[in-house]
């Protein structure tokens, strides 16, 4: 039998340890994972005076996958630029692990379609994945001020575009419908104006032609993409885009699901393990009350199984179990109510998902 995958679990702060415990229960049920917990964020500041120790970073690099719950809270809020801050742990981890690809799936559950600000008939059938380049472009270019002028330079290399394009095409190849040539990649740029976008488009075309000829590819200008995302979201499969456009479009797309407590994400690098985490924060306002929604973390576990551990069938099982409990009417208080729903806490939601598995 294959040995267990090594998972570095970083519960962090606020509701982090509560949803982390729920994730452990789920992973123990699924089996095949050896879990080692490490402090990060405020918990690490309290224990070691820094949000991420070298030992924890090394342990994460050596693991097969990293699951982070949430960091931060009022206890560590400070305006002192010299004081350690919980989010330095997360940023240090992304940088230290070379995580250049951010994946954010948007798949509104049928049971929550009316929780979206968009009409049900617009979002029904939406199941898309935003693949955002995370370590290049305008956020990492030279920037500065000169008198009354400021600048932020945007630069991309062919290599940076190639590696993120491969992540998107590989993701498309393993999505439902891919066998029938159904899952397409939509590359979003501003090639009518920006030179970096023309390099982007050329490079994505070349990667597609050389390595992924079977996967349909289309290009959209970013302004058009922003519009199409709310007018026909169900027509997208994988959206591949650069750092700034991806930052904006992924938040726009996330709102289709209507709830922060439902959104998972993955950050992947070239060779090392991936980092999987719910999109939400540490929710200090509900920490310790037993009502934290564990579903974004469960869906992050599903992403870990799919993209980090190659356990595609188990990833689908977890996603279907989450759908099942929502269809049965179970809701943590952060999810909007409605007819026939029943409010539950973290423990009952977790038990229900384990049973649905
Ligand atoms: P938040 O996401 O923690 O909370 C926003 C609102 O959503 C709150 O009312 C909260 O109760 C609710 N919420 C979020 N997730 C929930 C869940 N799983 N179950 C139930 N309710 C949930 O954002 P915030 O309040 O702006 O930030 C709180 C702290 O989290 C801050 O210290 C912030 O820096 C940190 N933060 C961390 C991350 C991260 O770890 N990746 C991300 C965002 C914010």
């Amino acid at each position: 039998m294959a040995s267990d995958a090594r998972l570095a679990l970083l519960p962090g702060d606020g509701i982090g340890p509560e949803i982390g415990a729920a994730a452990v229960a789920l992973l123990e049920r699924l089996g095949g994972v050896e879990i080692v917990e490490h402090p990060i964020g405020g918990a690490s500041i309290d224990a070691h005076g820094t949000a991420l120790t070298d030992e924890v970073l090394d342990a994460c690099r050596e693991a097969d996958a990293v699951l982070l719950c949430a960091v931060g809270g009022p206890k560590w809020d400070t305006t002192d630029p010299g004081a350690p801050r919980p989010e330095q742990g997360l940023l240090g981890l992304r940088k230290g692990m070379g995580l250049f690809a951010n994946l954010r799936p948007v798949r509104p559950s049928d049971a929550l379609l009316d929780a979206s600000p968009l009409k049900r008939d617009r979002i029904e059938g939406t199941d898309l994945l935003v693949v955002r380049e995370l370590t290049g472009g305008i956020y990492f270019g030279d920037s500065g001020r000169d008198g009354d002028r400021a600048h932020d330079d945007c630069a991309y290399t062919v290599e940076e575009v190639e590696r993120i394009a491969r992540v998107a095409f590989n993701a498309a190849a393993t999505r439902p419908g891919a066998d029938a040539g159904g899952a397409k990649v939509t590359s979003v740029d501003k090639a009518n104006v920006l030179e970096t976008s023309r390099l982007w488009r050329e490079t994505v075309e070349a990667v597609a032609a050389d390595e992924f000829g079977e996967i349909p590819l289309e290009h959209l200008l970013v302004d058009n993409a922003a519009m199409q995302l709310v007018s026909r979201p169900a027509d997208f499969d994988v959206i591949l885009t650069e750092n700034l456009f991806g930052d904006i479009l992924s938040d726009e797309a996330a709102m289709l699901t209507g709830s922060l407590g439902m959104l998972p994400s993955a950050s992947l690098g070239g060779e090392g393990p991936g980092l999987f985490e719910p999109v939400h924060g540490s929710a200090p306002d509900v920490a310790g009350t037993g009502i934290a929604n564990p579903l974004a973390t469960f869906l992050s576990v599903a992403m870990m199984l799919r993209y980090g551990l190659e356990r595609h069938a188990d990833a689908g099982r977890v996603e279907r179990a989450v759908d099942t409990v929502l269809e049965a009417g179970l809701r943590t208080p952060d999810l909007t109510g409605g007819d026939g729903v029943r409010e539950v806490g973290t423990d009952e939601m977790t038990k229900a998902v384990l049973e649905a598995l």
Side-chain angles (χ1 to χ4, degrees), residues 237-327:
D237 294 310
V238 175
I239 295 175
L240 161 64
T241 192
E242 57 100 90
N243 207 341
L244 172 65
F245 299 158
D247 193 3
I248 298 167
L249 292 180
S250 66
D251 270 29
E252 184 193 0
M255 267 320 288
L256 300 171
T257 68
S259 172
L260 199 58
M262 295 298 303
L263 289 169
S265 77
S267 298
L268 306 177
E271 282 147 31
L275 170 69
F276 304 87
E277 53 177 324
V279 168
H280 62 71
S282 61
D285 52 335
V286 301
T289 62
I291 60 166
N293 183 351
L295 297 184
T297 306
F298 291 169
L299 295 172
S300 302
V301 168
M303 292 196 82
M304 181 181 88
L305 292 165
R306 178 172 292 121
Y307 297 110
L309 304 178
E310 301 286 326
R311 290 172 61 176
H312 300 282
D314 285 334
R317 284 175 66 206
V318 173
E319 288 163 351
R320 281 194 298 281
V322 168
D323 280 346
T324 302
V325 299
L326 291 170
E327 277 153 22

Side-chain angles (χ1 to χ4, degrees), residues 31-163:
V33 180
E34 179 199 326
I35 302 167
V36 182
E37 279 190 31
H38 306 278
I40 192 167
S44 176
I45 292 174
D46 287 352
H48 305 290
T50 172
L52 176 69
T53 63
D54 291 344
E55 290 73 26
V56 172
L57 177 58
D58 284 346
C60 290
R61 285 190 181 127
E62 284 160 19
D64 294 309
V66 181
L67 182 67
L68 183 143
C69 297
V71 294
K75 181 177 176 191
W76 303 281
D77 279 348
T78 172
T79 50
D80 176 357
R85 298 182 60 87
E87 56 270 29
Q88 288 165 344
L90 183 52
L91 297 178
L93 209 52
R94 286 177 182 160
K95 191 159 180 271
M97 293 171 65
L99 303 169
F100 64 82
N102 185 240
L103 274 58
R104 217 186 245 200
V106 178
R107 187 184 63 95
S109 168
D110 281 352
L112 295 178
L113 284 181
D114 295 318
S116 168
L118 289 189
K119 290 193 189 109
R120 166 184 277 271
D121 62 331
R122 292 275 158 150
I123 49 173
E124 237 160 6
T126 297
D127 182 1
L128 63 86
L129 177 72
V130 179
V131 177
R132 166 190 170 194
E133 203 288 328
L134 203 56
T135 55
I138 198 165
Y139 291 178
F140 288 85
D142 183 42
S143 66
R145 282 197 192 207
D146 180 11
D148 60 0
R149 184 178 174 276
H151 71 104
D152 299 279
D153 295 348
C154 181
Y156 268 109
T157 65
V158 167
E159 192 201 345
E160 284 172 321
V161 182
E162 281 175 347
R163 65 184 187 179

